[in-house]
Every structure is written in C-alpha cells, then in structure tokens.
Amino acid sequence: MVVRTPRSAPAVDTDPGIAPVSALPGIGPALVAALARLGLERVQDLWFHLPLRYEDKTRVTAIADLCVGERAQVAGVVEAVERGFRYRPQLKVAIGDASQQTLLLRFFHFNRAQAEQLLPGTRMLCFGEVRHGTQGLEMVHPQYQRLSGDAAVAVDDLLSPIYPTTEGLGQKRLAGVIGKALALLPTAEQLELIPPGLCAEHGLTSLRDALLYVHRPPPDAHLGQLMLGHHPAQQRLAFEELLTQHLSLKRMRAAVRLRHAPALGGSGGLRRQLLAGLSFKLTAAQQRVSAEVEQDLAQTKPMLRLVQGDVGSGKTVVAALAALATVEAGYQVALMAPTELLAEQHLHNFRHWLQPLGIEVEWLAGKLSGKARKLALERTAAGAAVVIGTHALMQEGVTFAQLGLVIVDEQHRFGVQQRLALRDKGRDGELVPHQLVLTATPIPRTLAMSAYADLDVSSIDELPPGRTPVQTIAISNARRPEVIERIHVACSEGRQVYWVCTLIEESEQLRAQAAEVAHAELSAALNGFQIGLIHGRMKPKEKQAVMDAFKAGELSVLVATTVIEVGVDVPRASLMVIENSERLGLAQLHQLRGRVGRGALASNCVLLYQPPLGQLARERLQVMRETSDGFRIAEKDLELRGPGEVLGTRQTGQLAFRIADLTRDAHLLPAVQQVGARMLAKHPQQTERLIERWIGGAARYVNA
Ligand code: ADP
Ligand code: MG
C-alpha cells in the first residue's frame, strides 16, 4: 500500500518491551530461533504470549472421583502391564489407588527403558485427560513420573499455565523465558496504552495486574473460572485484544478509503440486457443489495462491501451485475474463488450470461499450462473485461490494465491479507479497485462487526421463490443398504442424487480413493443407472465434463468428494447422501446440503454416520435435522467450534485470538466499538502501539 499510517513514536530507550528476546539473560540462538517460530521476537511478545489453558497439578484426584473429559492428576501403583500390538505397538499400564479403582494408561510411543521401568508395584504420579476406554477409564499418553518408595506425593503450589508452543520448545522452558520477560514489566502507567480516562469510563482494571494474573494465577485462583475465560483478568486482556483487532481493521479501512477508485456509473444498458435475458426475476433482496453495490461503485471512494446471503440466495447474479457496471465504465473485473471447481462454475455462469452481450471472460487458474497461461496473462494485461480464477489471480506476474472491481467469492476461506494482495493488483496510478466480497456462510452479527469491521455489509436475506426446504435425516451406516435402496427408488423416479464421500485431514489422493470405492459400490448396486465420479485429482476438463453430464441429466448419481462443497449448482439434483457426516463441521454440512433444494423439487438429505457418535457430532447432526436456516446454523457453529474455525481463518492465523473468544466475549463488543472510535479519533499513537503489541508482524505486513 502506498498510504503510510504514522509509525509509532520512536520508543523511549527505557521501554524494555521492544528489546529483542535475545537480550534476556541465558537465551541462546537455538532458543531465539524456536521463539521466532512462534512469532516471539521482542520481550513484549513474550508478555502477550498468553496461556491457552491451565493444568491443575496442585492436587491429586482419587481414581474413583475422576470425570470423563477432565484433566486430572492421579497417584497410584502399577497393578498390571501389557504390551499389545493391535494396529501398532502399545503399552498398557493399569494403576490402582486407595479408592480401589483401576485406571488404564495407554502409551503408543515408548522405548524399552520406559517399558521396563513400569513394573507392577511401581508408584506413579500421572497427569492427563480422562477418557472412556473399552475397559473403563483411561488416559492416553499421560505425563508421568515414578515415585520412589513411600515418599509423600509432592504437588505443585501454583496452577501451571499451558502456552501455545512449537516443536523442540517444552512448556517448562517456555514458561521460564516468559518469567524472565515478565520480570521486566514496566509500571502499570507505563504499560497502559488505553488512555486513563477511557479505562475509568469502562471500568478497565490494570493491564499489568491482569497480565501477571493470567501468567501466574495464585494458588487460590478459581480454576473453573480461569478455564472458562471468565476471570476479570482474562476479560481485561480479551477486551484489549478485541479492541486491537477492531482498531487494526478500522485503520486498514480508513487507509483504503483515503484512496481513490474509479467512479463506475454507467447508463445501465448492459444491466438491462442481462436482466431481460434471465429466466427469473430478481428477488427484492437481490434488487436492494444490487442497488447498494451500484451506489458504492459510482463513488470515487473504494467500495469495501461484504454481501452475505445463505446458500442458494442468488449472490452470483448480483456479482454479475456489479461486473457489468464495471465493464460498461471501461474497467476490468477480477473474480476470485477459493477452489478450482467453484471458479469453473463462475466461469461457466459468467460466460453464459456475458458472452451474449459481447463480453469476453478470461480464465486464469493455477493449473493452467505454459502456453495457455501466457496467453491468459497477456490478455489480462491487455485489458480483458472479466478475469475469473483461483488464488492464482494474486500471484506475481499477473497484471491488469485497468482493474476496477475485485470480487472475492466465499470469503471465509481467504484471509484479509489475500484480499489486500488482490486489491493491490489494481494499482493504476492513484486508483485502487472497488472490492466486493461474497460469503455464503452467514456470519453472526457479533462476528461480522468484529471480523469484518473493515467492510460494509449487505444481506440477501431472502431465497428465490419456490424453494422447498430440504428434509434431512441422520442414519447409521449400519443401514447403508436401505439408503442405497432409497437411491435406487429415487433414480427410478428420475431424480438425481449426490453421494458425497468425506475424509477430512487425509490427502487428496486418499479422498479420491474413497470416492472411487464408493463409486464402485454404487455402480454395482445400481445396475442400469449412470453413476459419475468427481474428485480433486481429476483434470479441470474432466471435472467439467462430469459436471456437464450431471447437469444435463445424463448421470443419475454423482459420487463426489467435498470438491462440490461450494457453489456447485444443479437445480435438478434433489437427494444428497453425505457419508461420515459426523466428521464434518456444521458450516461444511450446510454448504454441502445447499447443493440440493435449489430448484422447486422437494429435496432430501441423508446424513450417514458411523456410530458411536460423540457429543459434539450428535449436536451437529441434530442442528442439521432441525433447521436449514443458515444464520441459526452459523450461530450454533460459532457456539460449538469458535470463531477461528467458523471463518476458516485458523490456519491463516488472522483470527487466532490469544485470549479473546468472540462467542464468550461478545458482550464486550459494544464497549470495544466505543473505545475504538475514541482512540482512532484522538489517540493515533497509542492505537499504533496497541496494534504493534498485539498483532505485531501481521500488522507490519498490512502496512507494508
Ligand atoms: P449462491 O448465493 O449460493 O451463490 P447462486 O447465485 O448460485 O446462489 O444461485 C442459486 C440458484 O438460484 C442458481 O441456479 C441461480 O440461477 C438461481 N437464482 C438466482 N436468483 C434467482 C431468482 N431471483 N429467482 C430464481 N432463481 C434464482
Ligand atoms: Mg455461490
């Protein structure tokens, strides 16, 4: 970005927070490197590296009093040891205590010495999570130590903070370094960046005390409260973190809004032509949102707008209309989607709608081969009207002649940084492009206010008429034959079916294999019907051919991996079976299910699951059966999983809060907004330093 926000005032020499971690005593290069992997470079980074949770090793729990799910410390005597080789080597150690109960300790990684040390009669102190095992309660890989003879059990006198860490850096070592950094904390007044008046007004207590408390909770600290993040010290820190996040987004927005964008107001001729050719009429919500977008586009300030609308609410046509306004004004449009398949769908739709109007649509995806890529790049640089692709659009070497509008679909998969990168493609002298962000994951209000504080929000809060809600049932995999029989009946009635294979956390190759197996199974069972297969390992052309065949009704069943999760649109498909649905999150299930119920046909969704169901999985499937309202599902998702996952930004780290939790701390947001507005207006230097403090490297990137 060209605009520079003022850098922080040169820090006073005496600010110990900005010293590099290497300045702390006894910290060598290897440790510095390990800390750097955690993004911990300066002393203050260590102050703000907050515990994820706490372990209570201040007491010993009797085995009889253990609760499943709890992390507890147990002292006992080894009663039996067994080495097994079920799937992989394992060591099972049964211990008993005075409560006359037995606890099984299970180890999968162990060496010979370890195995030989754990003999019957050995006394042990162990700590771990209590689970239900096949033989009663168990702990998998507990931390443990052997106790000598009849020595009394020595317990800790403080709760142990557990920090996020990295390979090669143990908790003890990290806690030690943090302790050294905390010894350098300045006075409360020096540390405070929120002005005293605002602190007083909002009842914010001392940051210094809060930091010391969360790093070293005193022996009488209420563990339950701390674990839940409800302690006032944690709330104080959460407030500051949310405030910082809010400030950073607002500041980014302000910086962008200072720039100029081309005013894209035209006669609307292309718009009228497209609308005249559509087989449907826009819903009132689509018309309203489209008007909001066009009004923004006509300004010389860059638009920063998020259009949210449930799956199937018709966001694509709204995006196409925005594209037309841009093209009519003589500027280029870039449309970026998170997956190749979704980008291809857009390409298909846009070509279908725009080519009759004489507008060329260019394709630029990662898999494009040498020559085709070169041509696409040349045409893009020469001014191709609409360019559609994946993140390949953001790569080096992609230049636009006159980019006027950037459309990003399914935003929750991209981070702010990626959004910025594409925007910067548009540097055309002084002008930056407008930005339109589409998301199908309805974002709960609290989250939207915070995570998208840099965007204006429009909602398409209405589905096109004639949609019938999808009937959803959950069925155990044991009843798979019945489900296949049901598909048989559906196919005989001329209905089209998706069969979705899900394997998360596995490779694309394994996913493809699973789909191939299901394809073989269904082909054998559904003799006489055409069964297609689509997965991420296929070439784009092959995928498109399969999709086209399914769309044309030539295939009765489409066996697919989750590549079809977003955007795929075949209105005639009316039955979906999702295998292993218990493994998927709510947002993903909702997206997948959104592939049916897109036409007027009554649709069904079968959630096949592998019992036994865990508590969370049971709740998720229950929610899916009860509602198809994307907003309710998103709220529930937020509650069950937390915001990082909901926004899909956990990996990009963008919303990986250290201590704040948007669900738990939503009540802080109104005050965050008030304090934020005052700080932006009156205290730019403190704002800058807060961002440095909490976001550090990421903020530097955004300012770069
Ligand atoms: P999403 O918001 O999930 O991206 P799409 O833009 O893919 O939804 O639209 C879903 C389907 O609804 C498409 O087949 C599209 O052509 C159709 N559609 C969009 N708007 C309307 C409308 N106003 N009336 C009827 N069908 C519509
Ligand atoms: Mg879509």
Side-chain angles (χ1 to χ4, degrees), residues 250-435:
K250 282 286 186 204
R251 197 190 53 168
M252 220 163 70
R253 175 188 167 86
V256 173
R257 299 280 288 180
L258 282 176
R259 312 280 301 275
H260 293 286
L264 306 173
S267 67
L270 288 175
R271 176 190 173 89
R272 280 188 293 278
Q273 279 183 58
L274 175 67
L275 291 178
L278 286 180
S279 58
F280 52 79
K281 207 174 147 297
L282 294 188
T283 61
Q286 283 170 318
Q287 288 180 28
R288 171 172 45 77
V289 170
S290 177
E292 284 165 4
V293 170
E294 299 211 341
Q295 196 172 0
D296 282 357
L297 289 176
Q299 313 296 317
T300 55
K301 271 188 193 170
M303 167 171 78
L304 293 167
R305 187 168 289 279
L306 176 75
V307 168
Q308 62 175 28
D310 207 345
V311 174
S313 61
K315 295 179 291 293
T316 318
V317 70
V318 171
L321 289 169
L324 287 182
T326 308
V327 172
E328 195 168 81
Y331 281 83
Q332 287 174 285
V333 178
L335 191 166
M336 178 168 77
T339 66
E340 188 127 327
L341 194 72
L342 178 53
E344 284 161 14
Q345 285 272 315
H346 281 312
L347 181 71
H348 193 80
N349 277 327
F350 272 64
R351 282 198 170 145
H352 176 70
W353 284 332
L354 271 50
Q355 270 174 347
L357 310 182
I359 299 168
E360 278 312 312
V361 182
E362 196 59 52
W363 174 240
L364 192 58
K367 286 189 191 146
L368 222 49
S369 66
K371 190 160 172 228
R373 183 178 156 79
K374 191 160 165 281
L375 278 174
L377 285 175
E378 279 170 14
R379 285 196 291 258
T380 302
V386 178
V387 186
I388 295 183
T390 54
H391 54 271
L393 280 179
M394 298 180 307
Q395 284 162 4
E396 294 288 322
V398 182
T399 49
F400 291 83
Q402 268 206 319
L403 186 57
L405 171 65
V406 171
I407 302 172
V408 182
D409 194 9
E410 310 294 346
Q411 152 69 11
H412 63 293
R413 293 172 169 239
F414 294 107
V416 167
Q417 273 86 345
Q418 285 162 304
R419 216 161 70 210
L420 289 174
L422 189 50
R423 183 199 61 207
D424 285 350
K425 287 282 176 207
R427 270 193 222 172
D428 162 26
E430 288 298 292
L431 297 183
V432 297
H434 296 279
Q435 280 186 72

